Amino acid sequence: MKFELVDRQGYIPDLNYGAAGKELSCFIPSDYPFEQVCYNNGEGEAIVDKHTWYFFFTQEGIGIKLMDGIVTLKEAERFLHAIKSHIWGETHQQVQIFMAGATPN
């Protein structure tokens, strides 16, 4: 499952990367404990609630991909809304959440 958070105006705030080994805290809200698996050049993987998520930048915004584990759509939506609020703030209304992916051939 892959999602994108996209601001209608193309705005992505400056992200404050965490200390070494916790750089992805710029994506993950503080009330979600996580273990960073890898980090390279602004993107990487982290284990959150026993699920591996990959965080990266897309042309339009921020991508979040479930790499390992199974979540319900409601669980994913709750997590994505928390990320959106963490990055853009509670009152920012211009960010849309999309399910993304390629169609099979």
Side-chain angles (χ1 to χ4, degrees):
M1 217 183 313
K2 183 172 131 186
F3 302 93
E4 290 188 29
L5 301 177
V6 178
D7 180 277
R8 293 179 194 160
Q9 307 298 321
Y11 170 70
I12 299 175
D14 290 333
L15 299 178
N16 297 319
Y17 294 93
K22 292 288 186 182
E23 291 92 348
L24 296 176
S25 64
C26 63
F27 295 106
I28 304 168
S30 59
D31 52 339
Y32 283 88
F34 72 96
E35 176 188 337
Q36 188 166 295
V37 176
C38 66
Y39 172 80
N40 185 27
N41 225 13
E43 58 186 50
E45 289 183 15
I47 299 171
V48 181
D49 292 332
K50 300 179 185 172
H51 301 96
T52 304
W53 295 89
Y54 179 59
F55 299 88
F56 58 99
F57 292 96
T58 66
Q59 288 181 339
E60 293 88 20
I62 294 174
I64 301 130
K65 183 176 181 181
L66 179 64
M67 303 296 288
D68 183 37
I70 297 172
V71 297
T72 66
L73 191 54
K74 237 183 207 349
E75 290 170 323
E77 183 181 32
R78 190 176 323 118
F79 185 48
L80 294 167
H81 277 284
I83 293 169
K84 178 186 136 209
S85 294
H86 177 68
I87 295 173
W88 280 273
E90 289 287 330
T91 59
H92 192 79
Q93 300 298 316
Q94 297 297 317
V95 178
Q96 297 177 319
I97 299 173
F98 296 99
M99 287 182 81
T103 55
N105 293 339

